[in-house]
């Protein structure tokens, strides 16, 4: 089922238009990857989809609910979690406290939060081992696990992840890819910005190609990965 639908989205900063007439949808369960060169507008897209910047045209709907005009916290309560580029964990706070920040806007009994926390530790056992450690003292891969775990604690319908693998060791990327596939199998919709197209094709079942703020291709991962123009542009193949 299409969980998130984006229709004719145009957005930017002040007078500068970065995204023009962007349309695509994200299925849940499932993983959709966004690929594109530097400056294509991938981060801007995620910022628009989490309400951090306001589009000048177009619509965003989550499970049929129109999100246009909501403040960022409205996007969170509607069911969108955003894992930002660079993780942005809270320094001086433990892993567990960082995870709990993700549940900030939920009004649920402590026992339910504890169950959700345990579910995050089941997905990322390393976080359970490090639960009392200062989050920003961990490795990059562990910090990314914590940022994703924090997103999961919001109990989203769709989670947006910016630059999943950037700067991480290949072995850490493998752990993250396996964990995200499991999370998607369990029902979540994921939209992942990924600059490493090989990782994007391995991770996602659908791919959106963004070029200078416009969607140039969208479809099943295998079809996009087999497209000679995509291979030439993003894998450097002749
Ligand atoms: P990268 O992979 O390099 O991060 P990206 O695809 O995520 O690229 P964006 O970060 O969305 O691209 O940037 C798209 C365009 O928007 C760029 O031209 C950038 O200079 C511009 N831009 C980004 N943030 C701002 C801002 N706060 N104010 C003005 N322009 C911005």
């Amino acid at each position: 089922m299409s969980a998130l639908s984006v229709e004719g989205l145009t957005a930017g900063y002040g007078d500068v238009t970065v995204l023009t007439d962007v349309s695509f949808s994200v299925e849940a369960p499932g993983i959709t990857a966004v690929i594109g060169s530097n400056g294509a507008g991938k981060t801007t897209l995620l910022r628009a989809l989490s309400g951090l910047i306001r589009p000048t045209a177009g619509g965003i709907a989550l499970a049929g609910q129109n999100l246009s005009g909501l403040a960022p916290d409205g996007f969170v309560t509607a069911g969108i979690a955003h894992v930002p580029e660079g993780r942005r964990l809270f320094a001086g706070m433990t892993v567990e406290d960082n995870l709990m920040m993700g549940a900030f806007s939920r009004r649920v009994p402590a026992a339910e939060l504890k169950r959700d926390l345990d579910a995050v530790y089941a997905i990322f056992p390393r976080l359970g081992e490090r639960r009392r450690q200062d989050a920003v003292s961990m490795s990059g891969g562990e910090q990314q696990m914590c940022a994703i775990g924090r997103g999961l604690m919001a109990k989203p319908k769709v989670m947006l992840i910016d630059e999943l693998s950037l700067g991480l060791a290949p072995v850490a990327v493998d752990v993250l890819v396996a964990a995200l596939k499991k999370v998607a199998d369990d029902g979540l919709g994921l939209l992942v910005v990924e600059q490493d197209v090989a990782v994007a094709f391995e991770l996602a079942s659908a791919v959106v190609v963004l070029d200078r703020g416009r969607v140039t291709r969208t479809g099943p991962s295998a079809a996009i990965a087999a497209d000679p123009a995509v291979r030439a542009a993003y894998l450097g193949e002749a």
Side-chain angles (χ1 to χ4, degrees):
M1 185 193 118
S2 167
L4 177 68
S5 61
V6 181
E7 196 57 54
L9 191 74
T10 297
Y13 306 92
D15 291 340
V16 182
T17 297
V18 175
L19 302 171
T20 306
D21 198 20
V22 167
S23 300
F24 67 93
S25 58
V26 175
E27 307 290 314
I31 305 180
T32 301
V34 182
I35 64 171
S37 332
N38 286 345
K42 305 180 296 296
T43 294
T44 302
L45 175 63
L46 294 203
R47 291 173 62 80
L49 296 182
S50 55
L52 295 172
I53 60 171
R54 194 157 284 206
T56 50
I60 303 165
L62 183 70
Q65 182 193 352
N66 179 8
L67 304 184
S68 305
L70 291 181
D73 61 332
F75 279 67
V76 176
T77 17
I80 292 193
H82 184 186
V83 180
E85 185 174 1
R87 276 86 72 176
R88 310 268 170 88
L89 296 178
F90 299 102
M93 283 172 58
T94 63
V95 167
E96 189 151 302
D97 287 344
N98 266 276
L99 292 174
M100 290 303 287
M101 289 302 285
F104 185 70
S105 62
R106 292 171 62 202
R107 301 270 174 273
V108 293
E112 188 174 330
L113 293 179
K114 171 80 172 65
R115 268 200 305 278
D116 293 340
L117 205 49
D118 287 342
V120 170
Y121 292 145
I123 296 161
F124 296 117
R126 182 62 64 91
L127 294 182
E129 294 162 15
R130 304 284 169 105
R131 66 177 76 190
R132 304 273 166 243
Q133 185 172 326
D134 189 329
V136 297
S137 69
M138 296 193 298
S139 73
E142 290 162 351
Q143 290 191 41
Q144 188 66 293
M145 291 176 198
C146 190
I148 290 168
R150 183 177 60 185
L152 292 172
M153 286 299 290
K155 278 284 173 116
K157 296 186 178 82
V158 170
M159 186 156 71
L160 317 174
I161 305 179
D162 201 356
E163 299 292 9
L164 175 70
S165 78
L166 191 66
L168 303 183
V171 58
V173 176
D174 290 345
V175 171
L176 291 168
V177 165
L180 291 179
K181 285 184 172 180
K182 185 168 181 317
V183 165
D185 282 346
D186 289 345
L188 192 63
L190 290 160
L191 182 67
V192 182
V193 163
E194 178 51 57
Q195 100 294 345
D196 183 332
V197 292
V199 171
F201 291 143
E202 148 72 14
L203 175 70
S205 52
V207 172
V208 175
V209 183
L210 206 57
D211 183 17
R212 282 163 288 178
R214 292 176 185 268
V215 172
T216 54
R217 278 183 177 67
T218 173
S221 186
I224 304 284
D227 185 323
V230 170
R231 300 191 73 82
Y234 299 104
L235 289 165
E237 293 181 3

